[in-house]
Amino acid sequence: MSHLQGRSRSELVENKDDGVHTEETRGDFSEVDLTTYHEQRAGRLVLDPNEARIEFGDTVASRLKLSPDGKIVLWPQPADDPEDPQNWSERRKSIQLTIITLAAIVPDFDSGIGIASIFALANQYHSTTGEINNLTSNWSIFLLGWGALVAVVFIRRYGRLPVIFWSQFLAFGFLVGCTFAPNLKTFAAMRCLTAFFGTCPQVTGLYVVTDMYPFHRQARKLNIWTMGFIISPFLSPFAFGFLVARASWRWAYGIGSMYSLCVLFLIAFFGRETMYDRGARNLPSRPAGGLCYRIETLVGITGVKMAKYRASWYEAVSAPFKLFWRPHLLSIMVFEALLFGFGIGINVTNAVFLGSPPPVGFGFSQFAIAGAYATPMVAVIIGEVIGHFANDAIMRVTTRRNRGVFEAESRLWACYIAIPLYICGFIVLGEAFQKHDSVGALVMGWGIAEVAIMVNTVAVYAYTNDCFPKHQGEISALLNLARVLGGFSVAYFQVPWAVKHGALQTFGCEAAIVAGLFVLIVPTIQLTGRTLRRNFSC
């Protein structure tokens, strides 16, 4: 048995200055509600069973459910119900994670089709690449953020499955409208509506992961889902850049519609409702199953019936407004908004830099531009691999040093890996554009920057999810909105700034802004996070 057994609970209460145990350990835990304890102690969870025995007492600790190897306390505590997603088989969980990841690709994948088609669209509608970017790309990116907030309201009331089904159904219809749009105004309207409705999976994923997986496995699964929406804006420029060079741009949108239809098919036939009303009481029992119940759950009839047991309309609508101003959330949102936002700007404007003739750009052919977009795709996969091991290692090391207790702020140590890579990547990319260096410099700069964005974004999502475990949807929506607001306008100024003063100044200043925010925000949150969580929980 560990050395912790020799310490009494009174000693734990009195020892307030050891950096681990605070007044949160004080109190009688004999009547603790284990189903919601992880929400009541947001950002601080006891993972070591030995520490749990000391902190909660033998009676409560004996009721705790542990991981299969008996080494980690499970949060949330699974219910004695096979319908609890925490109790599903690994195969069933993996299918749902795959579906939500493929669905998370859709919004930015559809948006990225416009990057591959930008020159063809300008020719088709007798316009310029700048007008196409401003009227369609930038505004569709802008609406990705606001659509997420609307989706969360309906998810809180009616569940995950029906909202994602209907949102993807509508997004598919509007993408078909893009394919056959007769003029630029119609095309712009269809593209904006596609983005607004299609963004739902980019907020549903955080819900689904936390519904199905215990706390100690969530960061690794979030890494997979996050990789989906980070890699998605590069997939379509890469795949369709080659196509648009030889065929009509309408084929690109047509194939994008086919992908959306495939995702819709997977949702309809294999998707399952992961929402489990864990803390609710006196709920009606679920039907045993069957096709009728399956259809009712998919289209939302079951959700409508269950709505009276869930958050009211007022609670659902007001939740984001009650949440966003919390100091530790607002500050990390600002940091992530600029870090991710400048990355969005690179994705939108690099096609212009690469395709424009010297001295502004490289004068690449359509084939070369498409090939260049393989760079960020490979980089995101590398970032996923790094995050896969780094996040788990950080959790294990910090929890062990903290005597079996996890503190949410430890998630942010991954940012210390990301920021040096981010600075390096942006400076190399700016130098490559300004001095027209070799393609190798372009590839290295762009790739290193995307690795940094991937690693940092997962850390931010995991940290905010740990701090606000009752509001995964709102957290996702607000972070989604932050990164969109940080990035949709970059395309307006990035190219003109680079043309006037050089790309090195442009990208160097962007990297400096992000580095400055990191220095101001991340260490401050790590030092004061426990106090902020105690005083500003929601």
Side-chain angles (χ1 to χ4, degrees):
M1 195 64 80
S2 137
H3 68 284
L4 294 171
Q5 282 188 306
R7 299 159 62 207
S8 69
R9 295 180 67 202
S10 60
E11 288 174 328
L12 292 176
V13 171
E14 292 171 1
N15 189 14
K16 295 182 182 180
D17 297 325
D18 64 358
V20 180
H21 299 280
T22 67
E23 63 273 13
E24 291 177 303
T25 60
R26 182 186 288 118
D28 183 9
F29 288 96
S30 59
E31 300 299 327
V32 66
D33 183 0
L34 295 177
T35 60
T36 58
Y37 180 81
H38 65 291
E39 297 177 349
Q40 298 165 10
R41 294 295 187 270
R44 181 187 184 276
L45 293 176
V46 179
L47 299 184
D48 184 356
N50 294 326
E51 181 65 20
R53 193 168 296 279
I54 295 170
E55 185 156 325
F56 299 135
D58 291 340
T59 303
V60 174
S62 65
R63 292 159 43 201
L64 291 171
K65 297 177 181 178
L66 309 179
S67 60
D69 60 8
K71 295 181 178 179
I72 300 176
V73 180
L74 298 179
W75 301 110
Q77 286 282 285
D80 297 321
D81 180 0
E83 292 299 323
D84 183 350
Q86 295 280 332
N87 295 324
W88 288 355
S89 67
E90 282 301 313
R91 179 176 178 273
R92 190 175 184 181
K93 290 180 180 181
S94 297
I95 290 173
Q96 302 311 307
L97 180 61
T98 300
I99 291 173
I100 199 63
T101 302
L102 292 174
I105 290 173
V106 169
D108 287 332
F109 179 84
D110 293 346
S111 181
I113 299 174
I115 297 172
S117 309
I118 186 169
F119 292 101
L121 287 166
N123 291 332
Q124 174 77 40
Y125 295 124
H126 308 292
S127 183
T128 65
T129 57
E131 185 180 9
I132 295 295
N133 256 349
N134 294 341
L135 190 59
T136 64
S137 293
N138 297 340
W139 283 107
S140 65
I141 292 171
F142 178 75
L143 288 171
L144 284 171
W146 299 102
L149 283 174
V150 175
V152 167
V153 173
F154 288 92
I155 288 172
R156 287 282 298 272
R157 292 280 294 170
Y158 303 125
R160 330 299 193 211
L161 186 61
V163 177
I164 194 172
F165 171 74
W166 285 114
S167 66
Q168 297 313 289
F169 179 82
L170 292 170
F172 163 70
F174 290 122
L175 191 61
V176 172
C178 290
T179 307
F180 299 103
N183 53 61
L184 183 56
K185 289 184 178 179
T186 303
F187 175 82
M190 292 294 104
R191 191 169 174 193
C192 289
L193 289 169
T194 300
F196 182 83
F197 288 102
T199 191
C200 179
Q202 294 186 344
V203 297
T204 314
L206 190 57
Y207 270 132
V208 171
V209 168
T210 52
D211 286 342
M212 297 191 301
Y213 294 98
F215 166 81
H216 68 283
R217 298 183 62 194
Q218 287 173 7
R220 181 175 292 188
K221 303 304 178 181
L222 284 176
N223 219 40
I224 297 172
W225 167 67
T226 306
M227 181 183 68
F229 68 76
I230 292 181
I231 202 172
S232 59
F234 312 121
L235 288 172
S236 40
F238 174 73
F240 297 138
F242 297 104
L243 174 67
V244 173
R246 293 294 183 90
S248 170
W249 62 268
R250 296 187 188 275
W251 273 108
Y253 279 92
I255 295 172
S257 300
M258 294 176 196
Y259 175 73
S260 294
L261 184 61
C262 290
V263 170
L264 191 61
F265 174 86
L266 291 173
I267 294 169
F269 288 92
F270 299 100
R272 294 292 181 268
E273 178 56 78
T274 65
M275 187 174 188
Y276 187 77
D277 301 286
R278 197 170 301 279
R281 298 290 183 267
N282 302 318
L283 292 176
S285 58
R286 291 189 179 189
L291 180 61
C292 183
Y293 175 70
R294 167 71 184 147
I295 294 173
E296 287 184 351
T297 303
L298 178 69
V299 301
I301 296 173
T302 302
V304 171
K305 293 177 181 178
M306 292 294 295
K308 61 183 177 182
Y309 301 101
R310 295 169 177 163
S312 67
W313 280 112
Y314 173 77
E315 291 172 331
V317 172
S318 63
F321 299 98
K322 294 179 179 179
L323 196 65
F324 85 94
W325 59 269
R326 312 287 166 163
H328 46 317
L329 177 60
L330 182 60
S331 57
I332 206 71
M333 280 171 53
V334 172
F335 170 55
E336 176 67 11
L338 274 298
L339 180 140
F340 202 106
F342 291 138
I344 293 176
I346 290 176
N347 186 44
V348 175
T349 59
N350 269 14
V352 179
F353 279 122
L354 295 173
S356 299
V360 175
F362 280 81
F364 282 0
S365 67
Q366 188 71 46
F367 285 108
I369 294 173
Y373 274 86
T375 297
M377 292 166 53
V378 174
V380 171
I381 295 172
I382 294 172
E384 199 280 335
V385 173
I386 293 173
H388 182 90
F389 295 103
N391 285 299
D392 280 0
I394 289 170
M395 184 188 73
R396 286 195 302 269
V397 171
T398 56
T399 301
R400 185 168 59 248
R401 292 181 61 187
N402 215 22
R403 299 174 184 171
V405 177
F406 172 83
E407 299 272 0
E409 289 71 33
S410 65
R411 296 287 195 197
L412 298 178
W413 285 113
C415 300
Y416 290 80
I417 301 173
I419 293 303
L421 294 174
Y422 190 89
I423 296 169
C424 176
F426 267 63
I427 290 176
V428 171
L429 185 61
E431 174 74 12
F433 279 132
Q434 181 165 322
K435 301 292 181 65
H436 291 83
D437 291 336
S438 67
V439 176
L442 171 69
V443 168
M444 290 300 295
W446 197 359
I448 293 171
E450 290 302 330
V451 169
I453 291 171
M454 176 71 194
V455 172
N456 195 89
T457 299
V458 173
V460 169
Y461 268 87
Y463 167 70
T464 51
N465 178 53
D466 294 341
C467 291
F468 301 95
K470 293 189 290 185
H471 298 281
Q472 293 97 346
E474 287 82 7
I475 288 296
S476 248
L478 289 170
L479 285 173
N480 191 56
L481 179 62
R483 66 188 183 89
V484 165
L485 292 179
F488 90 99
S489 63
V490 175
Y492 285 105
F493 63 78
Q494 199 168 55
V495 174
W497 185 3
V499 170
K500 187 174 182 179
H501 296 289
L504 182 58
Q505 183 188 107
T506 304
F507 291 110
C509 286
E510 290 173 354
I513 291 169
V514 171
L517 288 172
F518 166 77
V519 172
L520 290 173
I521 292 171
V522 173
T524 303
I525 289 178
Q526 289 184 304
L527 290 172
T528 63
R530 183 183 299 165
T531 301
L532 293 173
R533 282 189 280 108
R534 186 168 59 246
N535 295 333
F536 298 99
S537 294
C538 182

